[in-house]
Amino acid sequence: MNHFNPVIYYLTTVYLFLLLTSCSTTSSEDKDHMVFRYNSYNNISSLDPAFARDYDIIWATNQLYNSLVQLDDSLHIVPDIAKRWEISEDGLTYTFFLRNDVKFHKHPEFNTKDSTRTVVASDFTYSFDRLVDPKVASPGNWVLKHVEQYTAVNDTTFRIQLKKSFPAFLGLMSMRYCSVIPKEIVEFYGSNFRAHPIGTGPFKFKLWEENVKLVFRKNELYFERDTKGNSLPYLEAVAITFLPDKQSEFLQFAKGKIDLLNSLDASYKDELLTPTGKLRDKYKKRINISKGPYLNSEYLGFYLDTEKDEIQSEVLRKAVNHGFDREKMITYLKNGIGTPAVNGFIPKGIPGFNNIKGYDYNPEKARKLVELYKKQTGDNEPVVRIATDANYQSICEYIQRELEKIGITIMVDVMPASTIRQKKWAGKLDTFRASWIADYPDAENFLSPYYSKNHTPNGPNYTHFKNETFDRLYEESFFITDNAKRELHYAKMDSIIVAHAPIVPLYYDEVVRFTQKDVRGLTNNPQNFLILKRVWKEKKD
């Protein structure tokens, strides 16, 4: 069903048009062609970076805020508000030296001549205090769990002391949760800061009709420049709509009404792409496609704290891993998008991926493992229930058909994603389809779900996997400052996960973006974040 409301779309587009043309004497055509439009089919609940938990909020707040450091498209940590930093030899003390030319977006409450002020180190002290404040209840407070204390040494020096060495710490500081915000504006709005954001980012907040339209304007005070010395950003504005389903989003993209399509839904994937993942001829002249690694491992997880023989049996879990063709699954169900997960859990695209041997498609071996399971347990009709949401139903049903050929009955339970999340935390699902997307660019992020002290509900170990050697290697990795040596530790841990099969790796996802032909400068990154400060649009003839 198409939920697109043309009246709302028309009115809000007209509003944006008037908004842009009222702010400059530049022609409406010039302004309009420098507006980047995209759709967020999940509603945005907040523009406060302390609540930047999901992609829709992260995409929006990426335009509004800056942190101490940022990531480039290759996941290298580069300066942001901190122009440089020093790390003590023991890995416990991080000293950041801040730029002195970063200004907050203008707001009357600053009570200054130009309605703004420069960011100083004490702004980070305030922002971090707020992040861990129980009254704020930020879901991102965990990013500071390794921190002993932090202090503003002076206006341009900010120091953080860790409780113990954590080599991935700098990556955490790039997260949107760690954005700098101004105390006087937050205190002025209170909880309503969510809808009146003031940051330092390349775009500033202009208009938000919740669930209808969100508009950002170019921040004329932004501090970053391109390699030629030109001020960023290039765009005049960013306009976000909230069409509630992917089919409506695709229809508007196909009409040229939005500039970006960042998903490949089953409802239109065959319309856009060939089975090998190429654009169909009818779209080649109008649309560009770009692909790249995505730090997302898709998998089936087994909940090991159970008395059910099928789940307890490492032999049967290995049979499941060998029992279906991942290449075929990617080709026919994903139109060639993604990489078959024939290695470990750590995905391609992140340092620490070691190309270790995982599970190949071997139906003969799978059948022998099923027979061994039957001998060991006396269970001659093994049954495994897989919980999934509707988006992955076709994949789970494919696995169901394949595993029935080797003697395992698969029951596919389709339920809402929110229900799966709740039941995973509660340990009420025998087997579940899940994604693990990196929060920060270190392979440790993909190993923490298998550390025994992280068993749910105390952490993200949904499978309740426990292995003493794994735990020891995991704990040792925090004290290894040499990246190459630490990555060898990661590879050993990944091999342990493969050897004991608490999961079934399915595929390593890819970032797939479709853009209109006039969009320039939009690059992919393995975290699938939307970075618009270097994007522009060519004027159409």
Side-chain angles (χ1 to χ4, degrees):
M1 182 179 179
N2 188 345
H3 297 283
F4 176 64
N5 187 323
V7 176
I8 290 178
Y9 188 87
Y10 173 77
L11 290 175
T12 51
T13 302
V14 169
Y15 189 95
L16 174 64
F17 173 81
L18 294 173
L19 177 73
L20 293 175
T21 54
S22 68
C23 294
S24 170
T25 57
T26 307
S27 71
S28 61
E29 291 85 359
D30 285 345
K31 285 290 185 180
D32 190 61
H33 101 273
M34 288 301 280
V35 178
F36 185 89
R37 298 174 173 86
Y38 76 89
N39 184 65
S40 178
Y41 54 83
N42 291 317
N43 291 329
I44 291 174
S45 59
S46 177
L47 294 171
D48 182 339
F51 296 89
R53 183 176 191 170
D54 59 53
Y55 264 78
D56 299 276
I57 301 176
I58 292 171
W59 272 34
T61 54
N62 269 345
Q63 320 315 322
L64 299 173
Y65 300 98
N66 295 87
S67 304
L68 289 165
V69 297
Q70 59 184 317
L71 302 174
D72 67 13
D73 288 339
S74 300
L75 302 183
H76 297 127
I77 297 165
V78 296
D80 197 359
I81 293 178
K83 58 186 179 182
R84 65 183 180 90
W85 52 88
E86 295 173 357
I87 306 172
S88 62
E89 286 189 15
D90 61 8
L92 294 177
T93 304
Y94 289 68
T95 304
F96 297 91
F97 302 94
L98 311 186
R99 301 177 63 120
N100 61 4
D101 60 348
V102 180
K103 292 183 178 293
F104 287 111
H105 302 152
K106 290 184 178 183
H107 194 283
E109 199 61 24
F110 282 121
N111 290 318
T112 59
K113 184 179 178 181
D114 55 357
S115 298
T116 184
R117 69 168 176 81
T118 302
V119 173
V120 293
S122 59
D123 290 315
F124 279 98
T125 304
Y126 171 75
S127 300
F128 284 16
D129 282 348
R130 184 171 177 269
L131 191 62
V132 297
D133 185 349
K135 293 178 182 176
V136 175
S138 166
N141 56 31
W142 61 270
V143 303
L144 297 180
K145 70 179 181 179
H146 300 286
V147 174
E148 180 69 38
Q149 62 180 11
Y150 43 83
T151 184
V153 178
N154 54 46
D155 280 356
T156 56
T157 309
F158 185 65
R159 183 167 293 143
I160 300 175
Q161 186 81 22
L162 301 188
K163 298 172 185 175
K164 63 179 182 179
S165 177
F166 184 61
F169 180 70
L170 267 182
L172 285 178
M173 291 297 96
S174 73
M175 294 183 69
R176 200 71 291 137
Y177 290 132
C178 299
S179 302
V180 69
I181 53 176
K183 178 179 180 179
E184 51 266 70
I185 308 303
V186 177
E187 292 189 346
F188 176 73
Y189 284 113
S191 61
N192 211 26
F193 181 70
R194 63 174 285 281
H196 296 86
I198 293 291
T200 58
F203 297 92
K204 58 188 179 182
F205 174 75
K206 187 65 181 180
L207 164 74
W208 189 14
E209 293 180 49
E210 294 199 35
N211 306 333
V212 178
K213 174 82 79 171
L214 177 60
V215 178
F216 302 145
R217 287 297 315 279
K218 177 177 183 173
N219 174 18
E220 68 281 359
L221 302 176
Y222 193 58
F223 62 93
E224 283 192 282
R225 294 178 177 270
D226 65 16
T227 54
K228 296 180 179 179
N230 299 311
S231 296
L232 297 176
Y234 306 128
L235 292 166
E236 284 295 326
V238 178
I240 306 167
T241 51
F242 296 92
L243 306 180
D245 64 84
K246 293 184 180 182
Q247 180 66 17
S248 299
E249 180 182 63
F250 171 69
L251 291 172
Q252 290 305 298
F253 178 74
K255 293 175 183 176
K257 301 294 186 182
I258 56 179
D259 297 303
L260 169 68
L261 189 66
N262 189 64
S263 61
L264 190 64
D265 193 63
S267 63
Y268 59 77
K269 67 180 178 66
D270 294 323
E271 163 75 9
L272 263 181
L273 297 182
T274 67
T276 57
K278 305 289 186 184
L279 267 178
R280 292 198 180 275
D281 290 342
K282 65 183 287 189
Y283 291 107
K284 283 182 178 178
K285 292 183 179 180
R286 298 165 42 204
I287 292 170
N288 289 326
I289 179 174
S290 62
K291 304 177 188 177
Y294 183 18
L295 301 188
N296 175 24
S297 290
E298 298 281 343
Y299 69 103
L300 302 179
F302 297 105
Y303 181 67
L304 303 181
D305 271 346
T306 179
E307 295 180 359
K308 294 185 178 178
D309 289 338
E310 295 95 335
I311 309 301
Q312 279 288 314
S313 172
E314 192 173 292
V315 169
L316 195 73
R317 299 199 304 267
K318 289 180 177 179
V320 173
N321 268 287
H322 280 299
F324 64 99
D325 189 337
R326 292 166 175 82
E327 290 272 2
K328 189 176 175 183
M329 179 182 74
I330 292 294
T331 299
Y332 294 106
L333 297 179
K334 294 280 293 174
N335 290 67
I337 304 301
T339 304
V342 295
N343 304 105
F345 190 62
I346 298 173
K348 289 186 174 183
I350 194 169
F353 176 81
N354 201 264
N355 212 34
I356 65 171
K357 183 173 174 54
Y359 291 94
D360 57 357
Y361 175 48
N362 192 331
E364 184 179 343
K365 186 174 183 177
R367 287 189 194 96
K368 288 179 180 178
L369 288 168
V370 172
E371 290 306 313
L372 178 58
Y373 163 80
K374 291 178 179 178
K375 260 185 209 177
Q376 289 177 341
T377 64
D379 176 12
N380 290 317
E381 295 183 354
V383 178
V384 175
R385 302 190 75 94
I386 301 175
T388 183
D389 63 31
N391 289 330
Y392 296 87
Q393 182 176 350
S394 61
I395 286 176
C396 290
E397 288 177 347
Y398 164 75
I399 294 170
Q400 178 186 46
R401 291 191 297 272
E402 294 300 294
L403 294 184
E404 284 177 351
K405 297 174 186 177
I406 63 166
I408 304 175
T409 298
I410 299 293
M411 308 293 289
V412 177
D413 296 329
V414 180
M415 55 187 75
S418 58
T419 302
I420 293 175
R421 280 196 298 271
Q422 293 166 4
K423 289 183 178 255
K424 270 195 310 181
W425 276 103
K428 292 182 178 179
L429 297 174
D430 293 340
T431 311
F432 50 86
R433 202 280 333 156
S435 307
W436 188 265
I437 303 173
D439 290 312
Y440 46 92
D442 192 283
E444 179 273 337
N445 202 205
F446 286 89
L447 298 167
S448 63
Y450 304 99
Y451 181 50
S452 66
K453 292 182 181 177
N454 283 341
H455 282 186
T456 51
N458 300 316
N461 188 338
Y462 301 111
T463 64
H464 281 210
F465 176 71
K466 183 174 184 178
N467 180 277
E468 289 183 6
T469 304
F470 182 97
D471 285 353
R472 176 178 56 78
L473 291 169
Y474 182 78
E475 290 167 359
E476 287 174 359
S477 70
F478 290 105
F479 299 97
I480 303 173
T481 55
D482 183 285
N483 287 341
K485 290 181 180 177
R486 192 168 73 256
E487 286 165 17
L488 286 175
H489 253 54
Y490 292 160
K492 289 177 185 176
M493 285 183 267
D494 209 10
S495 295
I496 291 171
I497 295 170
V498 170
H500 294 281
I503 60 168
V504 181
L506 299 176
Y507 60 91
Y508 314 120
D509 211 352
E510 279 188 301
V511 173
V512 183
R513 288 180 173 174
F514 304 91
T515 54
Q516 304 294 344
K517 281 286 187 183
D518 59 344
V519 173
R520 296 287 183 270
L522 183 64
T523 56
N524 284 349
N525 59 82
Q527 289 187 298
N528 196 22
F529 288 161
L530 184 63
I531 311 296
L532 294 176
K533 59 191 173 186
R534 290 183 174 85
V535 171
W536 74 97
K537 291 168 66 179
E538 290 186 341
K539 190 173 181 180
K540 296 178 181 177
D541 295 332

